[in-house]
Amino acid sequence: MSASGGTRAIVAALLANLSIAVAKFVAFLFSGSSSMLAESVHSVADSGNQGLLLLGGKRAQREATPQHPFGFGRERYIYAFLVSIVLFSVGGMFALYEGYEKIKHPHELEHWYWPVGVLIFAIIAEGFSFRTAIKESNPLRGKKSWKDFIRHAKAPELPVVLLEDLGALVGLVLALGGVGLALLTGNGVWDGIGTLCIGILLILIALILAAETKSLLLGEAAGVEVVQQIETAIVAGDTVTGIIHMRTLHLGPEELLVAAKIAVRHDGTATEIAAAINAAESRIREAAPIAHVIYLEPDIYSDSEAAKGPDPEATPGGPAAPPADH
């Protein structure tokens, strides 16, 4: 669901940004507005970003190889991180430079109706793209707030498109304000100020995206609900008496690695323990279908060892500490 929904949102944003970029650049040529030039570069950068997300999603579908035995699911995180870099360097820094130049060398806007008309068209088109991203995100978001969804989503595409579209809409309003004030006052400095504000906005969004995708690149554990489902599934049988410690890691948005040391009955035979592990793996996959790679190590639970604390090197060790939010 997240992959298909993310693709639809990306395609909608790509089509909107390509059409907007052309319209903005034409408006810049007729009016000389620096806000329009910054916004046209912003739309071009956004179009490139959506292309990167689509490329990352395609490359992530490659089959695992001996050199990459866990597959290429994390390529989606890498390309999402590249998006934040492009947004910062191409969009934000260019807008800051252009705004500074316009404030330093202001000039009166020409053919004002071009930038105003294009900005209104762009707001409508970006609104359509933003609405599509919201619609595709809602089934995955559930009851979470938008802040929590963006912070904790394991699939990077929808949060990236949401933030890009939100930034584009706010940037368009800033550009419209800069152009409007420049027309009302006859002072082109306002156009430059609007451009500076757009640059600051883009850099802030880029920093947020970089922080979130960096955490995904480093490797995040499964969400609290998924961890609870896995723990319940492991101990549902008769032979497994408890979980000594467990680690989960997202190999990709829809691929999860589960590694656990489990306590088994001390009088169980090797055949019984092997059957219990196989049954536990089946229950895990039923409870959490994204658990593609599962390693379960049987051991005999020891109160004295568990009392030493959450030491993953101990045998058998104590329970693992819960993962911290990024």
Side-chain angles (χ1 to χ4, degrees):
M1 183 188 303
S2 61
S4 61
T7 300
R8 284 192 292 269
I10 294 169
V11 171
L14 176 60
L15 294 175
N17 280 314
L18 285 175
S19 61
I20 292 170
V22 173
K24 288 175 179 175
F25 191 71
V26 171
F28 159 71
L29 292 178
F30 279 96
S31 67
S33 167
S34 66
S35 291
M36 292 308 305
L37 179 58
E39 276 295 312
S40 63
V41 173
H42 176 194
S43 293
V44 170
D46 279 353
S47 300
N49 288 341
Q50 274 102 50
L52 286 173
L53 292 176
L54 290 173
L55 178 61
K58 183 69 175 178
R59 291 181 61 82
Q61 296 174 4
R62 289 178 295 164
E63 296 293 331
T65 65
Q67 290 76 26
H68 299 89
F70 293 116
F72 297 87
R74 285 197 181 183
E75 285 227 33
R76 289 167 67 180
Y77 300 149
I78 293 173
Y79 280 86
F81 188 74
L82 289 176
V83 164
S84 66
I85 297 175
V86 172
L87 191 63
F88 175 86
S89 58
V90 178
M93 297 305 291
F94 178 83
L96 289 180
Y97 170 77
E98 189 63 25
Y100 170 77
E101 285 296 317
K102 189 55 180 284
I103 292 174
K104 190 175 179 180
H105 307 290
H107 62 81
E108 187 176 351
L109 296 180
E110 301 174 357
H111 306 291
W112 61 269
Y113 42 85
W114 275 100
V116 172
V118 167
L119 287 172
I120 293 174
F121 161 74
I123 288 173
I124 295 173
E126 286 289 0
F128 167 76
S129 175
F130 192 42
R131 177 180 177 274
T132 302
I134 290 174
K135 181 180 178 182
E136 299 298 337
S137 299
N138 276 329
L140 298 175
R141 182 172 67 94
K143 297 181 179 179
K144 295 179 183 177
S145 66
W146 285 108
K147 177 183 176 182
D148 287 340
F149 173 70
I150 291 173
R151 286 195 62 201
H152 302 295
K154 305 304 180 183
E157 292 84 1
L158 285 172
V160 168
V161 173
L162 280 167
L163 286 174
E164 277 192 347
D165 285 349
L166 177 61
L169 284 170
V170 176
L172 289 168
V173 172
L174 291 172
L176 189 59
V179 170
L181 287 171
L183 290 173
L184 289 174
T185 63
N187 188 349
V189 169
W190 288 108
D191 188 29
I193 292 174
T195 308
L196 280 179
C197 292
I198 292 170
I200 294 171
L201 172 69
L202 293 180
I203 289 175
L204 288 176
I205 291 177
L207 292 175
I208 293 172
L209 287 176
E212 297 304 319
T213 51
K214 184 198 75 168
S215 179
L216 293 169
L217 275 172
L218 290 174
E220 287 189 0
V224 175
E225 293 182 1
V226 175
V227 170
Q228 292 174 346
Q229 292 169 355
I230 294 173
E231 290 175 343
T232 301
I234 290 177
V235 299
D238 295 331
T239 305
V240 179
T241 61
I243 299 172
I244 299 171
H245 60 73
M246 184 176 77
R247 301 288 186 272
T248 61
L249 178 68
H250 268 275
L251 303 174
E254 287 93 30
E255 298 173 83
L256 187 67
L257 180 148
V258 179
K261 186 185 288 287
I262 57 176
V264 297
R265 297 166 60 92
H266 69 279
D267 56 351
T269 65
T271 301
E272 292 172 338
I273 293 174
I277 290 175
N278 291 334
E281 290 178 352
S282 297
R283 293 193 300 270
I284 291 172
R285 290 192 170 94
E286 183 177 354
I290 64 172
H292 290 187
V293 183
I294 303 173
Y295 297 110
L296 299 181
E297 178 186 351
D299 210 325
I300 307 299
Y301 184 78
S302 166
D303 288 331
S304 60
E305 291 292 340
K308 295 179 180 179
D311 179 8
E313 301 299 328
T315 303
D325 289 342
H326 69 275

